[in-house]
Amino acid sequence: NSEDVRCKCICPPYKDHSGHIYNKNVSQKDCDCLHVVEPMPVPGPDVEAYCLRCECKYEERSSVTIKVNVILLA
């Protein structure tokens, strides 16, 4: 299920831009700042410096398992 995978990038404040969390459904190999952070909040020359500060993690979950546990615990 495409909703069970995502890439989550946590980007701290940079210059005059506040910190932000970005989520996007992408493959594990595309889980990086350049593929997930849209729109890019900084101009071209600052993109590399901005992305180096971001921490991106690929996450998987099983929504079926979560639903079963909720039913059993309810």
Coordinates of all heavy atoms in Angstrom, one line a residue:
N1 N 0.8 -1.2 0.0 CA 0.0 0.0 0.0 C 0.9 1.2 0.0 O 1.8 1.4 0.8 CB -0.9 0.0 1.2 CG -2.0 1.0 1.2 OD1 -1.9 1.9 0.4 ND2 -2.9 0.9 2.1
S2 N 0.7 2.2 -0.9 CA 1.6 3.3 -1.0 C 1.4 4.2 0.2 O 2.3 5.0 0.4 CB 1.2 4.1 -2.3 OG -0.1 4.6 -2.3
E3 N 0.4 4.1 0.9 CA 0.2 5.0 2.1 C 1.0 4.4 3.3 O 1.1 5.1 4.3 CB -1.3 5.1 2.5 CG -2.1 5.8 1.4 CD -3.6 5.7 1.7 OE1 -4.0 5.1 2.7 OE2 -4.3 6.1 0.8
D4 N 1.6 3.2 3.2 CA 2.3 2.6 4.3 C 3.8 2.9 4.2 O 4.6 2.5 5.0 CB 2.1 1.1 4.3 CG 0.7 0.8 4.7 OD1 0.0 1.6 5.3 OD2 0.3 -0.4 4.5
V5 N 4.3 3.7 3.2 CA 5.7 4.0 3.1 C 5.8 5.5 2.9 O 4.9 6.1 2.3 CB 6.4 3.3 2.0 CG1 6.4 1.8 2.2 CG2 5.8 3.6 0.6
R6 N 6.8 6.1 3.5 CA 7.0 7.5 3.2 C 8.5 7.9 3.6 O 9.2 7.1 4.2 CB 6.1 8.4 4.1 CG 6.4 8.4 5.6 CD 5.6 9.3 6.4 NE 5.9 9.2 7.8 CZ 5.3 9.9 8.7 NH1 4.3 10.7 8.4 NH2 5.7 9.7 10.0
C7 N 8.8 9.0 3.1 CA 10.1 9.6 3.5 C 9.8 10.8 4.3 O 9.0 11.7 3.8 CB 11.0 9.9 2.2 SG 12.6 10.6 2.6
K8 N 10.4 11.0 5.4 CA 10.2 12.1 6.3 C 11.5 12.9 6.4 O 12.5 12.3 6.9 CB 9.7 11.6 7.6 CG 9.4 12.7 8.6 CD 8.9 12.1 9.9 CE 8.5 13.1 11.0 NZ 8.0 12.5 12.2
C9 N 11.5 14.1 6.1 CA 12.7 15.0 6.2 C 12.4 16.1 7.2 O 11.4 16.8 7.1 CB 13.1 15.6 4.9 SG 13.7 14.5 3.6
I10 N 13.3 16.2 8.2 CA 13.1 17.2 9.2 C 14.3 18.2 9.0 O 15.5 17.9 9.0 CB 13.3 16.6 10.6 CG1 12.2 15.6 10.9 CG2 13.2 17.7 11.7 CD1 12.3 14.8 12.2
C11 N 13.9 19.4 8.6 CA 14.8 20.4 8.3 C 14.8 21.6 9.3 O 13.7 22.2 9.5 CB 14.5 21.0 6.9 SG 14.6 19.8 5.6
P12 N 15.9 21.8 10.0 CA 15.9 22.8 11.0 C 15.9 24.2 10.4 O 16.1 24.4 9.1 CB 17.3 22.6 11.7 CG 18.1 21.9 10.7 CD 17.2 21.1 9.8
P13 N 15.8 25.3 11.2 CA 15.8 26.6 10.6 C 17.1 26.9 9.9 O 18.2 26.4 10.3 CB 15.7 27.5 11.9 CG 15.0 26.7 12.9 CD 15.5 25.3 12.6
Y14 N 17.0 27.7 8.8 CA 18.2 28.0 8.0 C 18.0 29.5 7.6 O 17.0 29.9 6.9 CB 18.3 27.1 6.8 CG 19.4 27.4 5.9 CD1 20.7 27.1 6.2 CD2 19.2 28.1 4.7 CE1 21.8 27.4 5.3 CE2 20.2 28.4 3.8 CZ 21.5 28.0 4.2 OH 22.6 28.3 3.3
K15 N 19.0 30.3 7.9 CA 19.0 31.7 7.7 C 17.6 32.3 8.1 O 17.2 32.2 9.2 CB 19.3 32.0 6.2 CG 20.7 31.6 5.8 CD 21.1 32.1 4.4 CE 22.6 31.8 4.2 NZ 23.0 32.2 2.8
D16 N 16.8 32.9 7.2 CA 15.6 33.5 7.5 C 14.4 32.6 7.3 O 13.2 33.0 7.4 CB 15.4 34.8 6.8 CG 15.4 34.7 5.3 OD1 15.8 33.6 4.8 OD2 14.9 35.6 4.6
H17 N 14.6 31.3 7.1 CA 13.6 30.3 6.9 C 13.4 29.5 8.2 O 14.3 29.0 8.8 CB 13.9 29.3 5.7 CG 14.1 30.0 4.4 ND1 13.0 30.4 3.7 CD2 15.2 30.4 3.8 CE1 13.5 31.1 2.6 NE2 14.8 31.1 2.6
S18 N 12.1 29.3 8.6 CA 11.8 28.5 9.8 C 12.0 27.0 9.5 O 12.0 26.6 8.3 CB 10.4 28.8 10.3 OG 9.5 28.5 9.3
G19 N 12.1 26.2 10.5 CA 12.3 24.8 10.4 C 11.0 24.2 9.8 O 9.9 24.8 10.0
H20 N 11.1 23.0 9.2 CA 9.9 22.4 8.6 C 10.0 20.9 8.5 O 11.2 20.4 8.3 CB 9.6 23.0 7.2 CG 8.2 22.8 6.7 ND1 7.1 23.4 7.2 CD2 7.8 21.9 5.8 CE1 6.0 23.0 6.5 NE2 6.4 22.1 5.7
I21 N 8.9 20.2 8.6 CA 8.9 18.7 8.4 C 8.2 18.5 7.0 O 7.1 18.9 6.8 CB 8.2 18.0 9.5 CG1 9.0 18.3 10.8 CG2 8.1 16.5 9.2 CD1 8.3 17.7 12.1
Y22 N 8.9 17.7 6.2 CA 8.3 17.3 4.9 C 8.1 15.8 4.8 O 8.9 15.0 5.3 CB 9.3 17.7 3.7 CG 9.6 19.2 3.7 CD1 10.7 19.7 4.4 CD2 8.9 20.0 2.9 CE1 11.0 21.1 4.3 CE2 9.2 21.4 2.8 CZ 10.2 21.9 3.5 OH 10.5 23.2 3.5
N23 N 7.0 15.4 4.3 CA 6.6 14.0 4.1 C 6.3 13.8 2.6 O 5.6 14.6 2.0 CB 5.4 13.6 4.9 CG 5.7 13.6 6.4 OD1 6.6 12.9 6.8 ND2 5.0 14.4 7.1
K24 N 6.7 12.7 2.1 CA 6.4 12.4 0.7 C 6.5 10.9 0.5 O 7.3 10.2 1.0 CB 7.3 13.1 -0.3 CG 6.8 13.1 -1.7 CD 7.7 14.0 -2.6 CE 7.2 14.0 -4.0 NZ 8.1 14.8 -4.9
N25 N 5.6 10.3 -0.3 CA 5.6 8.9 -0.7 C 6.6 8.7 -1.8 O 6.2 9.0 -3.0 CB 4.2 8.4 -1.1 CG 3.3 8.3 0.1 OD1 3.7 8.3 1.2 ND2 2.0 8.3 -0.2
V26 N 7.8 8.3 -1.5 CA 8.8 8.0 -2.5 C 9.5 6.7 -2.2 O 9.3 6.2 -1.1 CB 9.9 9.2 -2.6 CG1 9.3 10.5 -3.0 CG2 10.6 9.3 -1.3
S27 N 10.2 6.2 -3.1 CA 10.9 4.9 -2.9 C 12.1 5.2 -1.9 O 12.5 6.3 -1.7 CB 11.5 4.3 -4.2 OG 12.5 5.2 -4.7
Q28 N 12.6 4.1 -1.4 CA 13.7 4.3 -0.4 C 14.9 4.9 -1.0 O 15.6 5.7 -0.4 CB 14.1 2.9 0.2 CG 15.0 3.0 1.4 CD 15.1 1.6 2.1 OE1 14.6 0.6 1.7 NE2 15.9 1.6 3.2
K29 N 15.2 4.6 -2.3 CA 16.4 5.2 -2.9 C 16.2 6.7 -3.2 O 17.2 7.4 -3.3 CB 16.8 4.5 -4.2 CG 15.8 4.6 -5.3 CD 16.2 3.9 -6.6 CE 15.3 4.1 -7.7 NZ 15.3 5.4 -8.3
D30 N 15.0 7.2 -3.2 CA 14.7 8.6 -3.5 C 14.5 9.4 -2.2 O 14.0 10.5 -2.2 CB 13.6 8.8 -4.4 CG 13.9 8.4 -5.8 OD1 15.0 8.4 -6.2 OD2 12.9 8.0 -6.6
C31 N 14.8 8.7 -1.1 CA 14.5 9.4 0.2 C 15.7 10.3 0.6 O 16.6 9.9 1.3 CB 14.3 8.3 1.3 SG 13.8 9.0 2.9
D32 N 15.6 11.5 0.0 CA 16.6 12.5 0.3 C 16.0 13.9 0.2 O 14.9 14.0 -0.4 CB 17.9 12.4 -0.5 CG 17.6 12.5 -2.0 OD1 16.7 13.3 -2.4 OD2 18.2 11.7 -2.7
C33 N 16.7 14.9 0.6 CA 16.1 16.3 0.6 C 15.7 16.7 -0.8 O 14.7 17.3 -1.0 CB 17.2 17.2 1.2 SG 16.8 18.9 1.1
L34 N 16.5 16.4 -1.8 CA 16.2 16.9 -3.2 C 15.0 16.3 -3.8 O 14.3 16.9 -4.6 CB 17.4 16.6 -4.1 CG 18.7 17.3 -3.8 CD1 19.8 16.8 -4.7 CD2 18.5 18.8 -3.9
H35 N 14.6 15.1 -3.3 CA 13.3 14.5 -3.8 C 12.1 14.8 -3.0 O 11.0 14.6 -3.4 CB 13.5 13.0 -3.9 CG 14.5 12.5 -5.0 ND1 15.8 12.2 -4.8 CD2 14.2 12.4 -6.4 CE1 16.3 11.9 -6.0 NE2 15.4 12.0 -6.9
V36 N 12.3 15.1 -1.7 CA 11.2 15.2 -0.8 C 10.8 16.7 -0.5 O 9.6 17.0 -0.4 CB 11.5 14.5 0.5 CG1 10.4 14.7 1.5 CG2 11.7 13.0 0.2
V37 N 11.8 17.6 -0.4 CA 11.5 19.0 0.0 C 11.0 19.7 -1.3 O 11.7 20.0 -2.2 CB 12.7 19.7 0.5 CG1 12.4 21.1 0.8 CG2 13.2 18.9 1.8
E38 N 9.6 19.9 -1.3 CA 9.0 20.7 -2.4 C 7.9 21.6 -1.8 O 7.1 21.1 -1.0 CB 8.4 19.7 -3.4 CG 9.4 18.9 -4.2 CD 8.7 18.0 -5.2 OE1 7.4 17.9 -5.2 OE2 9.4 17.3 -5.9
P39 N 7.9 22.8 -2.1 CA 8.8 23.5 -2.9 C 10.1 23.8 -2.1 O 10.0 24.0 -0.9 CB 8.1 24.8 -3.3 CG 7.2 25.0 -2.2 CD 6.7 23.7 -1.7
M40 N 11.2 23.9 -2.7 CA 12.5 24.2 -2.1 C 12.4 25.6 -1.5 O 12.2 26.6 -2.3 CB 13.7 24.0 -3.0 CG 15.0 24.2 -2.4 SD 15.4 22.9 -1.1 CE 15.5 21.4 -2.1
P41 N 12.6 25.8 -0.2 CA 12.4 27.1 0.4 C 13.5 28.1 0.2 O 13.4 29.3 0.5 CB 12.2 26.8 1.9 CG 12.9 25.6 2.1 CD 12.8 24.8 0.8
V42 N 14.6 27.6 -0.4 CA 15.8 28.5 -0.5 C 16.2 28.6 -2.0 O 15.9 27.7 -2.8 CB 17.0 28.0 0.3 CG1 16.7 28.0 1.8 CG2 17.4 26.6 -0.1
P43 N 16.9 29.7 -2.4 CA 17.3 29.8 -3.8 C 18.4 28.8 -4.1 O 19.1 28.3 -3.3 CB 17.7 31.3 -3.9 CG 18.1 31.7 -2.5 CD 17.2 30.8 -1.6
G44 N 18.6 28.6 -5.4 CA 19.6 27.7 -6.0 C 21.0 27.6 -5.2 O 21.4 26.5 -4.9
P45 N 21.7 28.7 -5.0 CA 23.0 28.6 -4.4 C 23.0 28.1 -2.9 O 24.0 27.5 -2.5 CB 23.5 30.1 -4.4 CG 22.7 30.8 -5.4 CD 21.4 30.1 -5.5
D46 N 21.8 28.2 -2.3 CA 21.7 27.7 -0.9 C 21.2 26.3 -0.7 O 21.1 25.8 0.4 CB 20.8 28.7 -0.1 CG 21.5 30.0 0.2 OD1 22.8 30.0 0.2 OD2 20.8 31.0 0.4
V47 N 20.7 25.7 -1.8 CA 20.1 24.4 -1.7 C 21.0 23.3 -1.1 O 20.6 22.6 -0.2 CB 19.6 23.9 -3.1 CG1 19.2 22.4 -3.1 CG2 18.5 24.7 -3.6
E48 N 22.2 23.2 -1.5 CA 23.1 22.2 -0.9 C 23.3 22.4 0.6 O 23.2 21.5 1.3 CB 24.5 22.2 -1.6 CG 25.4 21.1 -1.2 CD 26.7 21.1 -1.9 OE1 26.9 21.9 -2.9 OE2 27.6 20.3 -1.6
A49 N 23.6 23.6 1.0 CA 23.8 23.9 2.4 C 22.5 23.6 3.2 O 22.5 23.1 4.3 CB 24.2 25.4 2.6
Y50 N 21.3 23.9 2.6 CA 20.0 23.7 3.3 C 19.8 22.2 3.5 O 19.5 21.7 4.5 CB 18.9 24.3 2.5 CG 17.5 24.1 3.1 CD1 17.1 24.9 4.2 CD2 16.7 23.1 2.6 CE1 15.8 24.7 4.7 CE2 15.4 22.9 3.2 CZ 15.0 23.7 4.2 OH 13.8 23.6 4.8
C51 N 20.1 21.4 2.4 CA 19.8 20.0 2.4 C 20.8 19.2 3.3 O 20.4 18.2 3.9 CB 19.9 19.4 1.0 SG 18.4 19.7 0.0
L52 N 22.0 19.7 3.5 CA 22.9 19.1 4.4 C 22.4 19.1 5.8 O 22.8 18.3 6.6 CB 24.3 19.7 4.3 CG 25.1 19.3 3.0 CD1 26.4 20.2 2.9 CD2 25.4 17.9 2.9
R53 N 21.6 20.1 6.1 CA 21.1 20.2 7.5 C 19.9 19.4 7.8 O 19.5 19.1 8.9 CB 20.7 21.7 7.8 CG 21.9 22.6 7.7 CD 21.5 24.1 7.7 NE 20.7 24.5 8.8 CZ 21.2 24.9 10.0 NH1 22.5 25.0 10.1 NH2 20.4 25.2 11.0
C54 N 19.2 18.9 6.7 CA 18.0 18.1 6.8 C 18.3 16.7 7.1 O 19.3 16.1 6.6 CB 17.2 18.2 5.5 SG 16.6 19.8 5.1
E55 N 17.5 16.1 8.0 CA 17.6 14.6 8.3 C 16.4 13.9 7.7 O 15.3 14.1 8.1 CB 17.7 14.4 9.8 CG 17.8 13.0 10.2 CD 17.9 12.8 11.7 OE1 18.1 13.8 12.5 OE2 17.6 11.7 12.2
C56 N 16.7 13.0 6.8 CA 15.6 12.3 6.1 C 15.7 10.8 6.5 O 16.7 10.2 6.5 CB 15.8 12.4 4.6 SG 15.6 14.1 4.0
K57 N 14.5 10.3 6.7 CA 14.4 8.8 7.1 C 13.2 8.2 6.3 O 12.2 8.8 6.2 CB 14.1 8.7 8.6 CG 15.2 9.1 9.5 CD 14.9 8.8 11.0 CE 16.0 9.3 11.9 NZ 15.7 9.1 13.3
Y58 N 13.5 7.0 5.9 CA 12.5 6.2 5.2 C 11.7 5.4 6.2 O 12.3 4.8 7.1 CB 13.2 5.3 4.2 CG 12.2 4.5 3.3 CD1 11.5 5.1 2.3 CD2 12.0 3.1 3.5 CE1 10.6 4.4 1.5 CE2 11.1 2.4 2.8 CZ 10.5 3.0 1.7 OH 9.6 2.3 0.9
E59 N 10.4 5.5 6.2 CA 9.6 4.8 7.2 C 8.6 3.9 6.5 O 8.0 4.2 5.5 CB 8.8 5.8 8.0 CG 9.7 6.8 8.8 CD 9.0 7.9 9.5 OE1 7.8 8.1 9.2 OE2 9.6 8.5 10.4
E60 N 8.4 2.7 7.0 CA 7.4 1.7 6.6 C 6.5 1.4 7.7 O 7.0 1.3 8.9 CB 8.0 0.5 6.0 CG 8.8 0.6 4.8 CD 9.3 -0.7 4.3 OE1 8.5 -1.5 3.8 OE2 10.6 -0.9 4.4
R61 N 5.2 1.1 7.5 CA 4.3 0.6 8.5 C 3.3 -0.3 7.8 O 3.1 -0.3 6.6 CB 3.6 1.7 9.2 CG 2.7 2.5 8.3 CD 2.0 3.6 9.0 NE 1.0 4.2 8.1 CZ 0.2 5.2 8.4 NH1 0.3 5.7 9.6 NH2 -0.6 5.7 7.5
S62 N 2.6 -1.1 8.6 CA 1.6 -2.0 8.1 C 0.2 -1.5 8.7 O -0.1 -1.7 9.9 CB 1.8 -3.4 8.6 OG 0.7 -4.2 8.2
S63 N -0.5 -0.8 7.8 CA -1.8 -0.3 8.3 C -2.8 -1.4 8.7 O -3.7 -1.3 9.5 CB -2.4 0.6 7.3 OG -2.6 0.0 6.0
V64 N -2.6 -2.6 8.0 CA -3.5 -3.7 8.4 C -3.2 -4.2 9.8 O -4.2 -4.4 10.6 CB -3.3 -4.9 7.4 CG1 -4.0 -6.2 7.8 CG2 -3.7 -4.5 6.0
T65 N -2.0 -4.3 10.2 CA -1.6 -4.7 11.5 C -2.1 -3.7 12.5 O -2.6 -4.0 13.6 CB -0.1 -4.8 11.7 OG1 0.4 -5.8 10.7 CG2 0.3 -5.3 13.1
I66 N -2.0 -2.4 12.2 CA -2.5 -1.3 13.1 C -4.0 -1.5 13.3 O -4.5 -1.4 14.4 CB -2.1 0.0 12.5 CG1 -0.6 0.2 12.6 CG2 -2.8 1.2 13.3 CD1 -0.1 1.4 11.8
K67 N -4.7 -1.7 12.2 CA -6.2 -1.8 12.3 C -6.6 -3.0 13.1 O -7.5 -2.9 14.0 CB -6.8 -1.9 10.9 CG -6.8 -0.6 10.1 CD -7.3 -0.8 8.7 CE -7.1 0.4 7.9 NZ -7.5 0.3 6.5
V68 N -5.9 -4.2 13.0 CA -6.2 -5.4 13.7 C -6.0 -5.1 15.2 O -6.8 -5.5 16.1 CB -5.4 -6.6 13.2 CG1 -5.5 -7.7 14.2 CG2 -5.8 -7.0 11.9
N69 N -4.8 -4.5 15.6 CA -4.5 -4.2 17.0 C -5.6 -3.2 17.6 O -6.0 -3.4 18.7 CB -3.1 -3.6 17.1 CG -2.1 -4.6 17.0 OD1 -2.3 -5.8 17.3 ND2 -0.9 -4.2 16.5
V70 N -6.0 -2.2 16.8 CA -7.1 -1.3 17.3 C -8.4 -2.1 17.6 O -9.0 -1.9 18.6 CB -7.3 -0.2 16.3 CG1 -8.5 0.6 16.7 CG2 -6.1 0.8 16.3
I71 N -8.7 -3.0 16.7 CA -10.0 -3.8 16.9 C -9.8 -4.7 18.1 O -10.8 -4.8 18.9 CB -10.3 -4.6 15.6 CG1 -10.7 -3.6 14.5 CG2 -11.4 -5.6 15.9 CD1 -10.8 -4.3 13.1
L72 N -8.7 -5.3 18.3 CA -8.5 -6.2 19.4 C -8.4 -5.5 20.7 O -8.8 -6.0 21.8 CB -7.2 -7.0 19.2 CG -7.2 -8.1 18.1 CD1 -5.9 -8.7 17.9 CD2 -8.3 -9.1 18.3
L73 N -7.9 -4.3 20.7 CA -7.7 -3.5 22.0 C -8.9 -2.7 22.3 O -9.1 -2.2 23.5 CB -6.5 -2.6 21.9 CG -5.1 -3.3 21.8 CD1 -4.0 -2.3 21.5 CD2 -4.9 -4.1 23.0
A74 N -9.9 -2.5 21.4 CA -11.0 -1.7 21.7 C -12.1 -2.5 22.5 O -12.1 -3.6 22.6 CB -11.7 -1.3 20.4

